[in-house]
């Protein structure tokens, strides 16, 4: 999938829910970490399956990506919309604070170097220590690595969007001037969206062309600067969903949709099918009113695509079976022609025969409309059939990510093996499924999750196959220059 276009890039996503204080004088606030530092890319046109036991954070992950629930930390970059046409408000805030961020950046770079030196010092002491001292030094080393890991996440959150928007121009000596140029361009782009007069549009376009020539000249002058070359590699046109206002997030609902698990409670019992499916079309002003000539036909076309009879258009949800209700939910999600759909256990409440119909429908719609799915489920058989890649979650963390067949034929994480071993099979099946041996330690890495510890190393064990583990030897690449 590395050659495919990235539609969503999730980096260190966190979703924490605060726990009410149990004692009056309790100082430390505690949280349920439903999603904890999840990073992955979702490619255009793929189906990414997410599996795990109940309560592991699968549904929360799906809802948080599309910002139905605001994420606590991290970034969610969306590439389905041109950021310079959408112009989110956070861009102006970043442009205004370029100079201030630069000063803080230099201070944090010094702190980063101190943390690196601390790790190297402990490693040097460990290499020459006797057995009595090694246990204490190892504990100090892992504490230092954890402190450095947390710092890296905070560091990227603070500076990632700034470098992503201005690139190598962050190396310019006068960042106040750079800030003015970018703010001027942003103002002209926003004017261009509002103005309809042809002559004024031509004037603004000429002004924008001059600004682009000015930026190009600045980049040319800095081309040989090592800092410019480093920062220019960060230039990225992804839009950070986590920084959008609620109004902006609502506008993007046309691109990012969800099919809910329960086909009963997810539909308004007082609304007709036509209103359920067509509501989004009216909210996003695809049609001026429900009386518009094309409105009714658009709903009928969507119903036909989803296998619903045209006669159902004036019925209410209570008049349908579970499978039919789920088709209505799918039709509602498809009405705005989205690019990405979260299928939150979309077939788990249905019987087996209806499940197969809905899965085949989703597959057909994916091919026809070039959809991208995040498919959340408990059913390993279903996820193997429908998914290109599978991610395994355990207690809010992503513990393994690989192509679908690789997960079933070569699982690496003990929890993944436990899930596969627990797959129910009929007694008279001709061939019994393979029972995987659960191993918590290998020559290269081990797993600490069963003891309540974090496995913070994300290792590629084979092509596009990643597993969360704890390396026995500290990977020296962690001490290389950071991405930002």
């Amino acid at each position: 999938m590395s050659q495919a276009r990235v539609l969503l890039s999730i980096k260190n996503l966190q979703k924490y829910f605060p726990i009410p204080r149990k004692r009056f004088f309790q100082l430390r606030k505690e949280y349920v970490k439903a999603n904890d530092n999840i990073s992955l890319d979702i490619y255009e046109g793929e189906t990414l399956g997410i599996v795990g036991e109940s309560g592991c954070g699968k549904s929360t992950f799906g809802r948080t990506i599309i910002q139905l629930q605001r994420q606590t930390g991290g970034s969610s970059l969306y590439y389905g919309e041109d950021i310079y046409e959408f112009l989110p408000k956070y861009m102006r805030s970043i442009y205004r604070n370029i100079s201030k961020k630069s000063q803080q950046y230099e201070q944090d770079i010094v702190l980063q170097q101190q943390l690196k030196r601390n790790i190297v010092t402990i490693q040097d002491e460990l290499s020459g220590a006797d057995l009595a001292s090694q246990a204490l030094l190892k504990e100090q080393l892992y504490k230092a690595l954890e402190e450095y890991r947390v710092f890296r996440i905070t560091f990227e959150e603070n500076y990632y969007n700034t470098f992503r928007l201005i690139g190598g121009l962050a190396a310019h000596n006068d960042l106040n001037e750079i800030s003015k140029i970018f703010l001027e361009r942003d103002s002209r782009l926003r004017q261009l969206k509002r103005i309809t007069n042809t002559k004024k549009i031509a004037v603004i376009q000429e002004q924008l062309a001059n600004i682009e020539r000015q930026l190009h000249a600045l980049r040319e002058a800095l081309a040989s600067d090592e800092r410019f070359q480093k920062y220019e590699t960060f230039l990225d046109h992804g839009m950070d969903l986590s920084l959008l206002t609620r109004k902006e997030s609502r506008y993007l609902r046309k691109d990012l949709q969800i099919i809910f698990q329960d086909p009963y409670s997810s539909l308004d019992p007082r609304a007709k099918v036509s209103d359920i499916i067509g509501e989004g079309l009216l909210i996003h002003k695809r049609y001026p009113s429900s009386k518009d000539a094309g409105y009714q036909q658009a709903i009928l076309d969507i119903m036909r695509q989803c296998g619903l009879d045209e006669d159902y258009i004036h019925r209410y949800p209570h008049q349908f079976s579970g499978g039919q209700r789920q088709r209505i939910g799918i039709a509602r999600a498809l009405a705005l022609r989205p690019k990405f759909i979260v299928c939150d256990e979309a077939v788990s409440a249905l019987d087996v025969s209806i499940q197969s119909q809905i899965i085949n429908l989703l597959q057909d719609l994916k091919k026809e409309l070039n959809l991208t799915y995040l498919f959340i489920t408990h059913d390993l058989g279903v996820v193997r059939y429908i998914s290109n890649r599978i991610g395994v979650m355990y207690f809010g963390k992503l513990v393994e990510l690989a192509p679908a067949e690789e997960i079933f034929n070569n699982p690496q994480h003990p929890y993944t093996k436990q899930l596969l071993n627990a797959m129910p099979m009929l007694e008279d099946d001709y061939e019994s499924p393979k029972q995987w041996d659960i191993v918590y330690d290998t020559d290269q890495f081990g797993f600490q999750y069963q003891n309540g510890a974090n496995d913070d190393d994300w290792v590629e064990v084979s092509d596009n196959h990643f597993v969360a583990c704890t390396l026995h030897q500290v990977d020296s690449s962690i001490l290389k220059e950071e991405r930002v």
Side-chain angles (χ1 to χ4, degrees):
M1 298 297 296
S2 58
Q3 300 301 318
R5 174 174 174 261
V6 174
L7 183 65
L8 280 160
S9 182
I10 315 302
K11 186 73 172 177
N12 300 322
L13 183 140
Q14 301 168 346
K15 179 58 185 176
Y16 297 171
F17 294 98
I19 300 174
R21 286 186 171 89
K22 298 178 181 177
R23 299 181 301 277
F24 183 78
F25 294 105
Q26 181 179 329
L27 298 177
R28 183 181 176 184
K29 197 168 187 178
E30 296 180 339
Y31 297 88
V32 173
K33 297 181 179 181
N35 297 143
D36 194 14
N37 295 326
I38 297 176
S39 299
L40 56 82
D41 290 337
I42 301 175
Y43 297 97
E44 188 176 53
E46 82 161 331
T47 298
L48 174 64
I50 298 292
V51 298
E53 62 193 67
S54 295
C56 71
K58 305 186 300 299
S59 295
T60 301
F61 177 58
R63 292 168 186 242
T64 303
I65 285 178
I66 62 175
Q67 305 303 310
L68 281 183
Q69 296 172 327
R70 288 288 179 174
Q71 60 195 70
T72 307
S75 60
S76 300
L77 298 183
Y78 175 59
Y79 296 91
E81 190 92 15
D82 188 335
I83 191 171
Y84 295 110
E85 289 183 8
F86 193 86
L87 294 173
K89 288 185 177 180
Y90 75 79
M91 290 176 67
R92 289 192 67 80
S93 176
I94 288 173
Y95 292 150
R96 288 194 194 98
N97 294 311
I98 288 175
S99 180
K100 182 180 177 182
K101 283 285 184 183
S102 176
Q103 296 170 6
Q104 295 172 346
Y105 175 76
E106 297 301 330
Q107 295 171 4
D108 282 347
I109 282 290
V110 173
L111 178 56
Q112 178 180 336
Q113 297 299 330
Q114 291 175 350
L115 293 173
K116 286 182 179 181
R117 285 194 295 269
N118 185 33
I119 293 172
V120 172
T121 300
I122 297 173
Q123 285 179 319
D124 291 341
E125 292 177 5
L126 184 61
S127 62
D130 55 31
L131 289 175
S133 304
Q134 282 184 3
L136 179 60
L137 287 171
K138 283 182 178 179
E139 184 178 346
Q140 291 177 358
L141 177 61
Y142 280 105
K143 283 183 179 179
L145 286 168
E146 176 64 13
E147 183 181 5
Y148 182 67
R149 184 186 67 82
V150 172
F151 176 84
R152 285 171 60 190
I153 293 172
T154 306
F155 187 84
E156 288 202 7
E157 286 183 5
N158 287 337
Y159 304 109
Y160 182 71
N161 280 311
T162 301
F163 284 95
R164 196 169 51 76
L165 287 175
I166 69 173
L169 292 178
H172 197 274
N173 291 329
D174 189 355
L175 289 178
N176 286 321
E177 181 63 24
I178 298 298
S179 176
K180 289 178 183 177
I181 295 171
F182 276 104
L183 283 170
E184 179 69 15
R185 184 179 71 170
D186 186 82
S187 296
R188 294 292 170 263
L189 287 169
R190 292 178 192 277
Q191 284 180 355
L192 199 61
K193 288 179 68 176
R194 296 192 301 266
I195 293 173
T196 56
N197 184 282
T198 307
K199 290 183 179 180
K200 289 184 178 180
I201 289 174
V203 171
I204 293 173
Q205 287 176 336
E206 180 59 30
Q207 291 172 341
L208 284 169
N210 289 333
I211 292 172
E212 291 300 329
R213 284 192 286 270
Q214 188 178 0
L215 290 172
H216 179 72
L218 289 170
R219 286 192 167 93
E220 287 289 315
L222 292 168
S224 59
D225 190 313
E226 288 185 6
R227 290 172 65 221
F228 171 84
Q229 295 168 6
K230 173 187 171 184
Y231 298 152
E232 190 70 4
T233 61
F234 307 148
L235 203 61
D236 188 329
H237 294 162
M239 184 161 47
D240 194 343
L241 299 177
S242 67
L243 297 180
L244 299 182
T245 64
R246 292 197 176 276
K247 184 178 179 180
E248 290 168 341
S249 294
R250 190 175 187 184
Y251 176 79
L252 279 183
R253 292 281 179 265
K254 65 182 179 61
D255 289 348
L256 310 171
Q257 282 287 323
I258 184 169
I259 302 169
F260 293 98
Q261 175 180 357
D262 188 352
Y264 297 89
S265 62
S266 63
L267 301 179
D268 185 348
R270 296 178 180 85
K272 294 179 181 179
V273 169
S274 59
D275 297 326
I276 291 170
I277 297 174
E279 184 178 18
L281 297 173
L282 297 177
I283 289 173
H284 289 270
K285 300 179 181 179
R286 298 289 175 87
Y287 297 94
S289 75
S290 58
K291 296 179 181 179
D292 189 273
Y295 174 78
Q296 193 88 344
Q297 188 58 47
I299 294 173
L300 291 173
D301 290 342
I302 296 163
M303 290 176 64
R304 197 177 302 112
Q305 277 184 312
C306 296
L308 290 167
D309 196 315
E310 294 182 6
D311 295 338
Y312 298 164
I313 192 167
H314 297 301
R315 294 188 186 179
Y316 292 90
H318 72 270
Q319 296 175 288
F320 296 96
S321 66
Q324 289 172 324
R325 292 186 195 192
Q326 197 61 295
R327 287 176 185 268
I328 295 169
I330 294 170
R332 175 177 58 185
L334 290 174
L336 292 165
R337 291 294 184 260
K339 297 171 184 175
F340 177 70
I341 298 179
V342 175
C343 302
D344 184 12
E345 303 195 40
V347 297
S348 63
L350 309 175
D351 61 57
V352 176
S353 61
I354 303 300
Q355 278 187 16
S356 65
Q357 294 175 20
I358 297 299
I359 290 168
N360 290 332
L361 172 64
L362 290 172
Q363 291 282 63
D364 293 340
L365 292 170
K366 176 187 172 183
K367 294 175 184 177
E368 183 180 346
L369 304 175
N370 191 32
L371 298 172
T372 303
Y373 293 140
L374 181 73
F375 195 86
I376 298 167
T377 184
H378 290 99
D379 194 324
L380 293 172
V382 168
V383 82
R384 183 176 190 176
Y385 172 75
I386 200 171
S387 302
N388 301 107
R389 292 186 301 153
I390 296 174
V392 181
M393 285 187 65
Y394 178 80
F395 273 72
K397 292 182 177 291
L398 189 68
V399 296
E400 191 161 1
L401 178 66
E405 289 305 314
E406 181 75 3
I407 285 285
F408 283 87
N409 297 329
N410 185 31
Q412 294 292 313
H413 199 278
Y415 180 68
T416 307
K417 295 178 180 179
Q418 289 173 341
L419 285 179
L420 294 175
N421 288 346
M423 284 181 67
M425 300 294 291
L426 297 175
E427 291 183 1
D428 58 351
D429 277 352
Y430 179 76
E431 185 179 350
S432 298
K434 180 175 181 178
Q435 290 293 304
W436 297 94
D437 294 330
I438 309 300
V439 178
Y440 291 100
D441 197 54
T442 68
D443 293 338
Q444 291 80 28
F445 49 78
F447 301 96
Q448 308 295 326
Y449 75 98
Q450 75 280 10
N451 299 322
N454 291 330
D455 290 314
D456 293 321
D457 296 311
W458 188 244
V459 177
E460 187 172 13
V461 293
S462 60
D463 190 28
N464 293 323
H465 188 166
F466 299 88
V467 64
C469 60
T470 299
L471 292 170
H472 293 318
Q473 295 291 331
V474 177
D475 187 355
S476 61
S477 65
I478 194 175
L479 300 179
K480 292 180 181 177
E481 196 65 38
E482 295 310 310
R483 189 179 187 278
V484 177

